[in-house]
């Protein structure tokens, strides 16, 4: 056998099937393909495993009919939280079922009895996904990302990628291999541009969508508006599809939430804000979508957003943040708990997020972004520069943020405006972009974000961007932000600014490749909450809890309603740091 | 019975499984998966199936008794059994499952009952045949090794 590290050898597969006989057979078959197999008889257990070890798997194969959880639901969860390719299996090959699988995001649908040759080829789904990541990165960013990705991909392309175990696949693989080799031989540029839907890119996307009008969007129009060199219509089309799905989910959640949220009372609170936030956070079902849009006063238990969302199959946010992530923040997370630990299976342990009281540039979050086993460091550190209020230049960054969609005010029941902030909350790094290291990981993380998250984030960012801009002027009114309740930012202007800036920063943050899907917006990451007055600390706490933490903290500044908004993001956290 | 006779018997038995439609291609696939690292793979898989399927049959029977009108639930249970049967290539059982499902669709409880009875019989027959088969196999196995070592 060739080098075990040569792709696709050693592909790490998780097989989920309630039938013990099939589980045994599949395990044997996959082992014969030289894959690394983990079996699981229960969907819920599988999710836990994935949440805990998100970056320890490359692909998931699951049966459709399982007693404890519908296979499609599991599929959705995985797609949202971990963004791993999922293959569905069933004895039932009815078109409607297969279609359902595809609709829920399955990258393939196998009919039982499954044959060896079908399993041998599953690596293509993993590879394809990686390619997309690379492309996005290439497209979007600078060489740093690209290098990182490339590095990660090295295993794929340059080594003997395609090991052929039996003759009939050999030929096929060789051909593919050759193709890839040819492509790669060109060097850096060889890789096809893979679009990485970083926060920036996603923002542009959202902006474009808003400009066109959500109902009238089409990939071509968006592409033209975005005007991003290297971006293809296909990239946009797939991203749009994800975005739509994400919005759909958010909308449903929002609608439910809005009713509850609207009644929240977001009065400013003093130091206890933090507490408030937390609680609100928790109560609120993680409806990221709802959290955001309802900007107004929904801070309610955003926490719950994460939790609830994560738990809920609808939660798009599942951010499988690896354990490694966020372990730095200790205090914050504790209270928060929500975000990290929950649904994501504790992946996000934002617990560790340090609360920055003082403006220190950079709280670092250890994000264990899942990295393709290509060598990308699994732990990524995101530096979250404290948002320096003085750093108005940050605001400048936000210019690129999509404006909130005025047509879709964040009113209860409304979905977030399309402009997603894709955010990978990782963007918190305003100042120190250490993303070069992190990027690859982030990308992975990002991928895991569900669109919902991104949406939320986006919306938030969108909103924030608005405010951010204004904040520069010390205009604390959030009213400018769409849907956001006009908080009374009379509190320190710093705070306001902080809040605002956070948002954008988040958005502008790193590129998160995973944005493609519904990346949850991790706005919070890096947002320095120092500005937050009383809430500074508090906010900070929320920071990690939620992806939105950034947002949250911002919000908490005023202790307003915005707080709730940020809450939504917690989910995002999870996502980002998968 | 001498070795070659045993082998002939085994071969014949296996062939009859296919000819009479008890097993299909999937069974061959299982045999192909068998290798040095898992020399008794097929037997283990079949044993697993024979151990797990009675539970599924019982579930179906209970459900018919307890929730006779819940065809959706019945369908889902039979689906499980069908999938399980497909793992070892148990054609007749699979087919009977399809019949059962059709009855569920028609909300034909009596049809379901009859189908279940047939399924139980098929299961019992298959179980008996496979167990004999593996028994024979075990008899030749040690000799196989012996034979190989002589080469």
């Amino acid at each position: 056998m060739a080098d075990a590290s040569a792709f696709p050898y050693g592909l790490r597969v998780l097989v989920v099937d309630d039938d013990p006989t099939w589980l045994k057979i599949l395990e044997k078959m996959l082992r014969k393909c030289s894959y690394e197999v983990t079996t699981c008889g229960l969907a819920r257990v599988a999710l836990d495993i994935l949440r805990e070890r998100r970056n320890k798997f490359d692909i998931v194969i699951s049966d459709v009919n399982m007693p404890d959880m519908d296979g499609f639901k599991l599929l959705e969860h995985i797609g949202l939280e971990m963004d791993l390719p999922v293959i569905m299996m069933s004895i039932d090959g009815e078109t409607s079922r297969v279609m359902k699988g595809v609709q829920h995001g399955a990258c393939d649908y196998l009919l039982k009895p499954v044959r060896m040759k079908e399993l041998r080829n599953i690596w293509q789904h993993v590879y394809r996904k990686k390619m997309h990541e690379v492309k996005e990165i290439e497209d979007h960013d600078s060489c740093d990302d690209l290098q990182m990705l490339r590095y990660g991909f090295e295993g794929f392309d340059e080594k003997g990628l395609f090991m052929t175990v039996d003759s009939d696949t050999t030929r096929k693989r060789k051909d593919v291999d050759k193709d890839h080799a040819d492509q790669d031989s060109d060097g850096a540029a060889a890789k096809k541009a893979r679009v990485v839907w970083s926060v920036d890119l996603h923002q542009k996307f959202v902006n474009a969508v808003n400009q066109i009008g959500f109902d009238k969007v089409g990939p071509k129009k968006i592409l033209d508006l975005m005007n991003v060199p290297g971006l293809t219509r296909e990239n946009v089309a797939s991203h749009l599809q994800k975005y739509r799905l994400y919005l759909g989910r958010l909308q449903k959640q929002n609608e439910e939430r809005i009713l509850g949220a609207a009644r929240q009372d977001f009065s400013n609170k003093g130091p206890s804000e933090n507490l408030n936030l937390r609680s609100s956070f928790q109560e609120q079902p993680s409806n990221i979508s709802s959290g955001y849009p309802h900007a107004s006063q929904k801070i309610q238990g955003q926490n719950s957003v994460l939790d609830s969302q994560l738990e809920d199959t609808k939660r798009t946010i599942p951010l499988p943040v690896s354990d490694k992530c966020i372990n730095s923040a200790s205090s914050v997370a504790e209270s928060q708990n929500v975000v990290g630990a929950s649904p994501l299976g504790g992946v996000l342990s934002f617990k560790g997020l340090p609360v920055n009281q003082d403006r220190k540039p950079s709280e670092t979050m250890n994000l264990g972004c899942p990295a393709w086993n290509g060598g990308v460091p699994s732990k990524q550190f995101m530096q979250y520069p404290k948002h320096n209020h003085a750093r108005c230049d940050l605001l400048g960054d936000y210019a690129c943020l999509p404006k909130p969609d005025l047509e879709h005010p964040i009113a209860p029941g409304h979905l977030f405006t399309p402009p997603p902030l894709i955010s990978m909350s990782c963007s918190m790094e305003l100042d120190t972009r250490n993303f070069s290291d992190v990027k690859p990981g982030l990308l992975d993380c990002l991928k895991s974000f569900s669109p919902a998250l991104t949406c939320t984030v986006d919306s938030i960012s969108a909103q924030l961007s608005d405010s951010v801009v204004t904040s520069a002027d010390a205009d604390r009114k959030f009213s400018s932000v769409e849907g956001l309740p006009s908080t009374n930012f009379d509190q320190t202007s710093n705070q306001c600014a902080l809040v605002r800036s956070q948002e954008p920063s988040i958005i502008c943050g790193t590129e998160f490749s995973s944005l493609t899907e519904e990346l949850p917006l991790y706005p919070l990451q890096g947002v320095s909450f120092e500005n937050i007055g009383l809430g500074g600390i508090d906010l900070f706490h929320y920071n990690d809890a939620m992806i939105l933490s950034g947002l949250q903290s911002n919000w908490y500044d005023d202790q307003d309603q915005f707080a709730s908004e940020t809450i939504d993001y917690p989910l995002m956290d999870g996502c980002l740091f998968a | 019975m001498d070795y070659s006779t045993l082998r002939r018997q085994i071969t014949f038995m296996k062939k009859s499984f296919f000819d009479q439609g008890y097993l299909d291609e999937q069974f061959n696939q299982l045999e192909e998966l068998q290798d040095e690292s898992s020399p008794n793979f097929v037997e283990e898989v079949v044993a697993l199936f024979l151990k797990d399927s009675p539970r599924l049959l019982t579930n179906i029977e209970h459900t018919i008794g307890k929730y006779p009108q819940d065809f959706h639930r019945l369908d889902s249970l039979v689906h499980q059994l069908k999938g399980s049967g497909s793992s070892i290539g148990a054609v007749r059982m699979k087919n009977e499952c399809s019949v059962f499902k059709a009855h569920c669709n028609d909300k034909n409880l009596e049809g379901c009952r009859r189908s279940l009875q047939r399924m139980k019989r098929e299961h019992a027959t298959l179980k008996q045949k496979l167990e004999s088969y593996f028994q024979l196999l075990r008899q030749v196995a040690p000799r196989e090794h012996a034979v190989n070592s002589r080469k």
Side-chain angles (χ1 to χ4, degrees), chain A residues 84-112:
Chain A
L84 283 173
V86 183
I87 295 178
M88 301 304 290
M89 294 183 293
S90 179
I91 185 151
D92 179 1
E94 238 175 79
T95 306
S96 59
R97 297 293 276 176
V98 177
M99 192 172 299
K100 196 171 175 193
V102 175
Q103 280 169 347
H104 281 76
C107 58
D108 205 351
Y109 195 108
L110 304 177
L111 292 192
K112 282 180 171 175

Side-chain angles (χ1 to χ4, degrees), chain A residues 46-231:
Chain A
L47 261 184
D48 288 342
I49 294 176
L50 286 170
R51 283 168 181 161
E52 265 174 69
R53 309 188 258 157
R54 180 256 181 272
N55 46 344
K56 295 281 200 307
F57 295 100
D58 301 313
I59 188 165
V60 180
I61 302 182
S62 169
D63 189 77
V64 166
N65 303 84
M66 290 186 286
D68 70 324
M69 186 194 286
D70 180 34
F72 294 121
K73 220 174 212 201
L74 175 67
L75 164 61
E76 243 188 9
H77 267 299
I78 298 177
L80 290 174
E81 293 182 41
M82 295 118 205
D83 196 39
L84 283 173
V86 183
I87 295 178
M88 301 304 290
M89 294 183 293
S90 179
I91 185 151
D92 179 1
E94 238 175 79
T95 306
S96 59
R97 297 293 276 176
V98 177
M99 192 172 299
K100 196 171 175 193
V102 175
Q103 280 169 347
H104 281 76
C107 58
D108 205 351
Y109 195 108
L110 304 177
L111 292 192
K112 282 180 171 175
V114 180
R115 294 280 170 260
M116 275 289 288
K117 55 184 182 233
E118 293 170 295
L119 289 182
R120 268 197 220 290
N121 282 335
I122 64 174
W123 59 266
Q124 64 179 283
H125 303 293
V126 180
Y127 188 79
R128 189 178 298 120
K129 228 179 172 83
K130 288 303 169 184
M131 295 208 320
H132 283 303
E133 287 173 41
V134 176
K135 183 177 207 296
E136 287 182 1
I137 290 182
E138 283 181 343
D139 257 10
H140 220 11
D141 196 54
S142 51
C143 323
D144 284 13
D145 297 326
L146 194 49
Q147 292 310 332
M148 291 301 297
L149 273 184
R150 292 241 178 86
Y151 172 54
F153 277 125
E154 241 156 52
F156 286 45
D157 309 305
E158 287 143 51
K159 306 205 188 125
L161 280 188
F162 306 92
M163 303 306 320
T164 52
V165 183
D166 54 86
S167 56
D168 43 317
T169 56
T170 300
R171 265 192 309 280
K172 268 189 261 184
R173 286 196 184 185
K174 279 197 182 146
D175 291 343
V176 180
D177 196 354
K178 208 148 51 92
D179 289 345
H180 286 292
D182 290 344
Q183 284 168 1
D184 294 322
S185 59
D186 300 346
K191 287 219 173 83
K192 307 182 221 245
R194 299 276 170 234
V195 178
V196 168
W197 284 93
S198 65
V199 175
D200 290 339
L201 192 60
H202 185 64
Q203 299 238 310
K204 284 199 178 115
F205 171 84
V206 175
N207 275 341
V209 169
N210 284 343
Q211 233 175 294
I212 298 168
F214 192 64
D215 301 330
K216 304 183 237 135
V217 288
K220 184 83 177 64
K221 287 185 192 162
I222 299 174
L223 181 67
D224 292 342
L225 263 181
M226 282 175 75
N227 193 24
V228 171
L231 191 66

Side-chain angles (χ1 to χ4, degrees), chain A residues 203 206-207 210 399-406 417 419 462-463 465-466 482:
Chain A
Q203 299 238 310
V206 175
N207 275 341
N210 284 343
C400 66
L401 291 181
K403 293 203 186 139
D405 183 358
L406 296 172
T417 59
Q463 298 192 339
S465 47
D466 234 6
E482 212 175 328

Side-chain angles (χ1 to χ4, degrees), chain B residues 15-117:
Chain B
K15 187 170 183 302
S16 77
F17 290 164
F18 286 93
D19 293 342
Q20 292 168 26
Y22 284 100
L23 294 178
D24 66 13
E25 172 60 21
Q26 176 64 9
F27 194 80
N28 286 333
Q29 292 287 319
L30 291 186
E31 292 192 318
E32 274 174 39
L33 285 177
Q34 190 157 290
D35 57 17
E36 295 127 9
S37 63
S38 44
N40 302 311
F41 182 71
V42 188
E43 188 177 354
E44 286 163 11
V45 172
V46 170
L48 206 48
F49 167 77
L50 292 175
K51 191 173 86 159
D52 194 56
S53 44
R55 171 183 69 90
L56 298 176
L57 283 167
T58 308
N59 279 351
I60 296 171
E61 191 153 29
H62 280 172
T63 305
I64 288 184
K66 214 167 155 199
Y67 309 100
Q69 296 311 310
D70 196 341
F71 291 104
H72 184 75
R73 189 194 285 234
L74 276 178
D75 183 275
S76 166
L77 288 174
V78 172
H79 190 91
Q80 278 181 51
L81 183 62
K82 190 177 180 189
S84 201
S86 72
S87 69
I88 65 162
V91 190
R92 288 202 182 189
M93 282 202 65
K94 248 189 354 178
N95 290 342
E96 195 56 51
C97 286
S98 299
V99 170
F100 192 108
K101 276 179 147 231
H103 287 312
C104 281
N105 267 350
D106 299 336
K107 302 208 191 292
N108 178 353
L109 186 62
E110 202 36 51
C112 288
R113 285 209 175 96
R114 285 197 305 266
S115 186
L116 176 64
Q117 293 314 311

Side-chain angles (χ1 to χ4, degrees), chain A residues 36 137 201 213 283 348 428 442 469 473 513 527:
Chain A
E36 208 181 278
I137 290 182
L201 192 60
E283 320 156 18
L348 291 183
M428 302 284 272
L442 284 179
V469 178
D473 310 320
S513 49
V527 174

Side-chain angles (χ1 to χ4, degrees), chain A residues 153-337:
Chain A
F153 277 125
E154 241 156 52
F156 286 45
D157 309 305
E158 287 143 51
K159 306 205 188 125
L161 280 188
F162 306 92
M163 303 306 320
T164 52
V165 183
D166 54 86
S167 56
D168 43 317
T169 56
T170 300
R171 265 192 309 280
K172 268 189 261 184
R173 286 196 184 185
K174 279 197 182 146
D175 291 343
V176 180
D177 196 354
K178 208 148 51 92
D179 289 345
H180 286 292
D182 290 344
Q183 284 168 1
D184 294 322
S185 59
D186 300 346
K191 287 219 173 83
K192 307 182 221 245
R194 299 276 170 234
V195 178
V196 168
W197 284 93
S198 65
V199 175
D200 290 339
L201 192 60
H202 185 64
Q203 299 238 310
K204 284 199 178 115
F205 171 84
V206 175
N207 275 341
V209 169
N210 284 343
Q211 233 175 294
I212 298 168
F214 192 64
D215 301 330
K216 304 183 237 135
V217 288
K220 184 83 177 64
K221 287 185 192 162
I222 299 174
L223 181 67
D224 292 342
L225 263 181
M226 282 175 75
N227 193 24
V228 171
L231 191 66
T232 69
R233 188 199 160 282
E234 186 195 83
N235 299 139
V236 176
S238 80
H239 192 68
L240 177 62
Q241 185 184 47
K242 292 181 188 148
Y243 187 56
R244 279 192 173 123
L245 285 173
Y246 170 67
L247 289 183
R249 270 187 288 265
L250 285 180
Q251 179 143 45
K252 283 205 209 128
Q253 289 168 342
N254 284 342
E255 279 161 357
E256 294 160 27
R257 272 268 171 110
I258 293 188
L259 298 180
R263 288 187 274 249
Q264 288 285 328
D265 169 35
F266 299 96
S267 48
N268 285 334
K269 289 171 199 225
S272 55
E273 299 244 329
N274 189 12
L275 296 177
N276 287 335
L277 284 179
R278 261 200 298 264
S279 51
S280 59
F281 191 70
Q282 306 216 299
E283 320 156 18
Q284 189 103 43
S286 41
N287 184 359
I288 295 208
S289 49
S290 61
Y292 199 84
H294 308 308
S296 27
Q297 318 217 329
K298 298 191 261 146
I299 303 221
Q300 324 184 354
Q302 288 299 330
N303 261 346
S304 50
V305 170
L306 265 185
D307 289 327
S308 49
Q309 292 209 333
L310 289 176
E311 323 266 352
D312 183 347
T313 52
K314 284 198 144 204
R315 284 213 216 228
T316 47
I317 313 195
L319 298 173
V321 173
S322 63
D323 300 324
K324 307 182 233 177
C325 299
I326 319 182
N327 49 30
S328 53
S330 45
S331 50
V332 177
E334 294 174 57
S335 47
Q336 296 298 340
N337 245 0

